[in-house]
Amino acid sequence: MKEPHAADKFRDEIQHLLVRIYTVLLENVITKIKPIVLEKLLKRAPPPTSPQLIGKRDASLKDLVIYLRDTHNLFQQHMVCPQVTQQFFYQVLQFIYANVFNEIIMRSDLCNFNKALEIKMDLTLLEERFFAGPHKIASTLPNAELVRQ
């Protein structure tokens, strides 16, 4: 059996490291935004042990948008491939919608018309401010409409 070239080994190691960096970054972003999604979109206080966005107890959707914009700017400053940036924010959007959906399913107090309108308005506001705003992330995301539904 032939031994792989040094370049092949190096490429495999770099790919592994890039996947690991991407995964850790995504986990960190999700850990930071989960409390704000639960607290502000669903009007529920996060658990006391939950890490808070930017260390604030009273973070708002504006803080979430600022955090996402800062993350996007970080991607741009470090010239991250546009496809990777797209995929990253698509996964963040999926996470937000999945969390909202799961909470609605689990909590009967959210299963009414008024709450549905309130949540829809907050999600629309989030999309307008970040995903469809100046960064235009959502418009380039594959199947963004399907995730939203």
Side-chain angles (χ1 to χ4, degrees):
M1 185 188 276
K2 279 173 99 175
E3 279 208 28
H5 290 101
D8 290 336
K9 284 183 181 180
F10 181 71
R11 185 191 70 227
D12 291 344
E13 287 178 25
I14 290 293
Q15 286 175 341
H16 175 73
L17 287 173
L18 288 174
V19 168
R20 180 76 180 123
I21 290 168
Y22 179 91
T23 303
V24 168
L25 182 60
L26 186 61
E27 288 170 357
N28 287 341
V29 168
I30 285 174
T31 299
K32 287 189 184 253
I33 69 172
K34 186 173 185 174
I36 197 77
V37 168
L38 294 177
E39 185 178 350
K40 294 303 174 185
L41 285 178
L42 301 172
K43 313 299 186 253
R44 182 183 104 181
T49 58
S50 182
Q52 295 296 310
L53 179 69
I54 315 170
K56 290 189 202 173
R57 185 94 179 126
D58 60 342
S60 67
L61 285 179
K62 181 181 177 184
D63 294 322
L64 176 60
V65 171
I66 289 169
Y67 181 76
L68 291 174
R69 282 187 183 154
D70 288 347
T71 303
H72 186 262
N73 289 338
L74 183 69
F75 276 50
Q76 287 181 326
Q77 287 172 357
H78 293 281
M79 294 179 271
V80 174
C81 175
Q83 291 85 356
V84 172
T85 302
Q86 255 183 9
Q87 180 63 29
F88 182 86
F89 285 102
Y90 180 69
Q91 286 183 289
V92 169
L93 185 64
Q94 282 181 317
F95 168 80
I96 291 170
Y97 285 134
N99 251 340
V100 169
F101 179 75
N102 288 340
E103 285 292 316
I104 290 170
I105 295 293
M106 301 284 282
R107 294 178 47 201
S108 60
D109 63 311
L110 296 177
C111 294
N112 64 57
F113 185 72
N114 289 337
K115 278 293 188 186
L117 279 179
E118 201 175 304
I119 291 168
K120 175 67 175 160
M121 287 179 4
D122 285 344
L123 287 172
T124 301
L125 183 64
L126 176 64
E127 288 174 8
E128 287 174 358
R129 286 190 179 170
F130 180 73
F131 290 103
H135 296 281
K136 304 238 187 288
I137 297 293
S139 61
T140 61
L141 294 176
N143 304 319
E145 184 63 32
L146 294 175
V147 173
R148 185 178 302 115
Q149 291 175 358

